[in-house]
Amino acid sequence: MVAPGTSERRLVARVRHWDGLAALIAAFIGVLALVVSGYTAYLQRQQVRAQVWPYLVSANYDPEFAIKVLNKGVGPAIVHSVRVSVDDKPKHDWGQVLSTLDVEVAKLRTSTISDNVLRANEMLAMIVFPDGASYRDFRAAARDRIALEICYCSTLGECWVYSDGTPGARAMQTAVDQCPRIAATDAFAD
């Protein structure tokens, strides 16, 4: 025979058991919601990164006798530094580059890309020659001797170094934590 109150104790024990189980399930759902929220935030961050990704390249633009920098990415490129070297020796401006290459050009037009922002699909002429002969002379003299390095960042602070002109190598983009400081004597200011 069951003592009086035993069934009440069993009922209370069952209720406590279900309360504990319900608390455990609620905690699991909370953790699951936190994981899903974190993953959603991660995906949104990746989408934003893709929407502001810049991608700089340099190119010879024969119809205008120019060397240009293009932002082929979908976001703005914040240019922090530019380095141009001839025979692995940094030059400060296009005048020094042309002098080292023994190329004489009258009425040369140049643009500064250092400390500049290139929007998506923007093209900026770094150097424009007055005629096809000067342009061809420059390209012939510069072949395998001139190297260009541009460090730029996205609006999210992700940075890359674009390198072009290393003999025997293709142009390449390298991700970096931040743009390196370039000594004033090595920086390209023109």
Side-chain angles (χ1 to χ4, degrees):
M1 179 168 213
V2 177
T6 304
S7 63
E8 289 175 5
R9 277 189 236 137
R10 284 185 191 164
L11 182 60
V12 169
R14 277 190 201 156
V15 168
R16 284 186 189 157
H17 175 72
W18 284 109
D19 286 347
L21 187 59
L24 188 62
I25 291 171
F28 175 74
I29 289 172
V31 168
L32 187 61
L34 185 62
V35 168
V36 168
S37 174
Y39 183 67
T40 301
Y42 169 77
L43 289 177
Q44 287 174 337
R45 169 83 173 164
Q46 298 296 29
Q47 287 175 337
V48 169
R49 285 179 65 206
Q51 291 171 349
V52 299
W53 177 66
Y55 190 82
L56 293 186
V57 296
S58 68
N60 299 318
Y61 197 66
D62 295 343
E64 294 179 11
F65 313 123
I67 310 296
K68 295 187 175 193
V69 174
L70 299 86
N71 182 357
K72 295 177 80 175
V74 293
I78 304 165
V79 179
H80 289 280
S81 62
V82 177
R83 186 184 331 212
V84 176
S85 37
V86 178
D87 302 326
D88 292 326
K89 293 180 181 81
K91 301 301 174 192
H92 189 63
D93 57 35
W94 286 112
Q96 288 182 357
V97 170
L98 293 172
S99 174
T100 303
L101 294 172
D102 289 327
V103 175
E104 290 185 32
V105 179
K107 296 184 181 180
L108 185 69
R109 292 183 321 188
T110 62
S111 296
T112 302
I113 62 169
S114 252
D115 299 321
N116 206 337
V117 176
L118 276 73
R119 70 181 182 278
N121 298 314
E122 183 174 3
M123 185 182 315
L124 179 67
M126 290 191 300
I127 184 169
V128 180
F129 294 86
D131 55 61
S134 300
Y135 176 67
R136 285 186 294 278
D137 290 346
F138 170 79
R139 294 213 23 220
R143 182 170 288 126
D144 294 332
R145 294 184 64 195
I146 193 168
L148 170 66
E149 188 175 284
I150 303 171
C151 189
Y152 63 98
C153 300
S154 72
T155 54
L156 294 178
E158 295 174 312
C159 301
W160 298 267
V161 173
Y162 168 78
S163 302
D164 190 10
T166 307
R170 295 181 57 189
M172 52 189 268
Q173 304 277 343
T174 306
V176 294
D177 290 333
Q178 64 184 24
C179 287
R181 291 232 179 255
I182 296 178
T185 55
D186 293 349
F188 195 75
D190 198 27

